[in-house]
Structures are given as C-alpha cells and as structure tokens.
Amino acid sequence: MTGRTPRLSRLRRVVPEGRGGRGGRPGESRGGRPRRRGTQPKVVALGGGMGLSASLAALRRITGDLTAVVTVADDGGSSGRLRDELGVLPPGDLRKALAALCGDDDWGQTWARVIQHRFQSQGEMHGHAVGNLLIVALWEQLGDHVQALDLVGKLLGAQGRVLPMSAVPLELQALVKGHDPDRPEDVDTVRGQATVALTPGEVQSVHLVPHDPPAVPEAVDAVLDADWVVLGPGSWFSSVIPHLLVPELLDALTQTKARRVLSLNLAPQPGETEGFSPQRHLEVLGRHAPKLALDVVLADEAAVPDRDVLTDAAKRFGAAVELAPVARADGTPRHDPELLAAAYDRIFRMHGRIGPWR
C-alpha cells in the first residue's frame, strides 16, 4: 500500500489534543508523558502475540522511545479471515502490540479494552476484534500501513510505535517430524502459523513464503538507530524466529550498534516447543541465524534448572546470562510486567551504556 488520501486531514480532527503517537505535543513522549531529551534508551522489541505484548507492557514503563516490530504471518482467527477475504496483512498481533502500549490511565485502559473486544454473534461478525477492523479500515482509507498504525497509536495514546516487519502477508512453513502421529518418524512440511503452533510433532526448522520478503524500511531504520534491541519472549518458531528470516531485518540486527537482549520464555509451549530446555531455545535460534550475536540472555531464575549449561549456550552468541524473577506470582507461565521492567532496566544500566540516555 502506498500513497495518501485527503481523508487523513479529516481523521486527525478526532484525535484528542496531546495524546501520544508521533506528532504529539513538543516535549512529550509518544504516550503523552513529559520527556527529557537524551535521558531514555531507544528500544526496539521484536516478536508477536502475547510474548511481545508482555515485553512491551514492561518496556513502556522504563522508556518513552519504544518501537515494536511485529510478525505478519498469522493466518488464524479474525486475522486469518480478514487476510483471506481482503488480502491484507494479518492485523491481530499488531493490535495486541498497540493494546500493550496503552497507558495505565482511564483513557489508555478503556481503549485497550475496546480494541481487544471481540464480537459475539451467530453471524459473520462472530470472533472479529474491534481493533482488527479499525486497523484494516485505516489501511484501506490511507493506503499506507505505517501511517495507519501511527494514527491508531495516536488515538489510543500508545506509549510507543508499532510497525509490521514486512509489508506483505507471509506464510510460515515448517519441517515437522511426527506431525502425523501415525507416522512418527516422517518429516512433513506444515503450512500456516496456526497449524505450526499446534503441531503435535517436533519442529525441525521454519521458513517464510515468500522466502526473501521485503522488510518495512521504518523497521530496519529503527533497529539500526536503537540503543537496545529486545527479541522474545513468545512462540519460538512462529513469533520470534520469523524476524530472523527477513533478510533486511537480519542484516540490520547484525549491523546495528545496539546491544541485543534475548528474553526467554517461562516454559516450553505445548506443541511448538514441547520439552525444550532453555538452552535448546538458543540452539534452534542459532541454527536459523548462525551469524546473530547477542549481548544478554534474560531468563527467569526458576525456569533454568542448570545455569552453567545455559551460560555455555549463551557464550556461543557472545552473550552473558541474566537470571531474574520475572514470572507472575500466581504460578502461570506469564511475565509480570513490573518484574520484567525491573529486569530490563537493570540490564540496560549494567550492560553497556550506549548513547546519551544514562
């Protein structure tokens, strides 16, 4: 999608004065908070789904210069239906990222609930999320993916920016051993992110179709200009690794002067990474991007049975291991945003002070 239409000037009038997003009041961050120039790290977070949402909910607490780069391979649910019917990027993970960047005030939390709301009916609207429809409507109105997402972020008062990793819808394909339980030794090609995420077999590798998708230029620029790049947590094969399969993004990740932190999941994901140890997550990441270097690997201390083994795996990337309590207290494998924010802040302070923000 390219070009602009005169409708943008009319749409801007409905955005509350001073709410976040690009183009807010001078001296404010994208979330409408006071901002001191040169005091905050520029952070780019890569991922998708609930894992990226957890990371963004933490990172927005410690910086106002935050960009999310989101995978666009989803083919299930409301996103898949819109993708099939309209030929658009799947908006679901982009919507979740925007919701995670909403502030904790009444405005932010109200809009977070609104865009996450799903219609319940017996008809065609059943299961569609309000935010998905809003995003797609603005894509069609404006003819520009990035401009439309910036406008949604401004309306929501999002404390950061959301970008798709590519401007073309992508299909995730995986080589899976034992996808058919009746043929446990056979390796099959499994197509579609939703199917890969739920496979009962062992994922050997993943790739994207098209194989060399173009990256969104703003996403590449953000990575190159960052102080820190955060990869993960999230569904390893369907949300984290796909960013490394976009050549321009991978080049940016290897060339950037930013420090790179990999945030590990709290537990293996049923189906996709069943039985994976923390170090095995690193091993499969390295197989897909052997030239990728990291600076820090962050893991929950209770999720690492053997720190020495994880330390050895991290050294192959040139990374140090940081263990911290980042899980919710209720025992579910979900990150606590305050604890995760504290862990990120400590890493940013202790592992290399790039840029003028400290």
Side-chain angles (χ1 to χ4, degrees), residues 27-299:
E28 288 185 342
S29 72
R30 293 170 186 157
R33 297 175 296 173
R35 179 173 178 177
R36 293 172 296 170
R37 181 168 297 180
T39 62
Q40 300 180 93
K42 295 179 181 179
V43 181
V44 176
L46 286 73
M50 298 310 297
L52 177 61
S53 295
S55 203
L56 294 176
L59 289 167
R60 69 174 172 81
R61 287 166 162 79
I62 57 177
T63 184
D65 201 335
L66 176 59
T67 301
V69 179
V70 184
T71 183
V72 286
D74 190 9
D75 61 349
S78 171
S79 286
R81 290 159 60 194
L82 290 168
R83 172 178 175 164
D84 290 343
E85 182 173 345
L86 301 174
V88 296
L89 295 180
D93 284 351
L94 297 161
R95 181 199 80 244
K96 292 173 185 175
L98 285 163
L101 290 174
C102 285
D104 295 322
D105 58 353
D106 288 342
W107 179 273
Q109 290 306 295
T110 297
W111 275 110
R113 290 192 299 270
V114 168
I115 66 169
Q116 295 282 54
H117 175 76
R118 291 185 183 272
F119 294 104
Q120 303 294 319
S121 74
Q122 300 300 316
E124 294 296 323
M125 288 296 293
H126 179 74
H128 274 307
V130 171
N132 288 356
L133 301 178
L134 174 63
I135 291 169
V136 172
L138 283 170
W139 283 342
E140 292 193 346
Q141 287 278 308
L142 304 181
D144 187 302
H145 293 108
V146 172
Q147 186 183 11
L149 289 166
D150 284 344
L151 187 57
V152 178
K154 190 172 184 180
L155 174 65
L156 272 53
Q159 298 175 18
R161 192 184 195 193
V162 173
L163 299 170
M165 70 177 186
S166 179
V168 298
L170 304 174
E171 180 184 74
L172 186 73
Q173 295 187 1
L175 294 178
V176 181
K177 181 180 180 181
H179 178 67
D180 183 346
D182 293 332
R183 297 183 290 111
E185 297 302 316
D186 288 358
V187 176
D188 297 311
T189 298
V190 177
R191 295 174 172 83
Q193 181 177 345
T195 306
V196 172
L198 297 175
T199 179
E202 179 185 339
V203 179
Q204 308 282 300
S205 64
V206 291
H207 61 271
L208 296 173
V209 178
H211 289 279
D212 297 316
V216 168
E218 291 86 349
V220 173
D221 290 344
V223 170
L224 292 174
D225 193 44
D227 296 310
W228 280 91
V229 176
V230 177
L231 184 63
S235 299
W236 216 244
F237 287 105
S238 52
S239 292
V240 177
I241 289 177
H243 290 80
L244 308 178
L245 306 179
V246 179
E248 292 167 303
L249 264 184
L250 181 58
D251 287 345
L253 283 168
T254 57
Q255 295 171 14
T256 182
K257 294 181 180 179
R259 295 295 176 99
R260 289 151 290 208
V261 56
L262 177 71
S263 187
L264 292 177
N265 294 334
L266 298 172
Q269 182 177 339
E272 190 170 318
T273 54
E274 187 75 46
F276 272 35
S277 63
Q279 56 270 18
R280 189 172 178 189
H281 284 79
L282 289 176
E283 291 166 3
V284 298
L285 194 78
R287 288 206 302 268
H288 286 84
K291 295 182 179 180
L292 179 68
L294 300 169
D295 294 278
V296 180
V297 173
L298 170 64

Side-chain angles (χ1 to χ4, degrees), residues 41-42 226-228 257-259 348 351-358:
K42 295 179 181 179
D227 296 310
W228 280 91
K257 294 181 180 179
R259 295 295 176 99
F348 293 171
H351 289 270
R353 302 180 178 182
I354 297 178
W357 52 273
R358 294 293 187 198

Side-chain angles (χ1 to χ4, degrees), residues 323-348:
L323 300 183
V326 293
R328 291 180 182 265
D330 59 9
T332 60
R334 296 183 299 163
H335 288 83
D336 181 286
E338 296 289 349
L339 293 177
L340 188 57
Y344 283 142
D345 189 58
R346 180 176 180 274
I347 288 171
F348 293 171

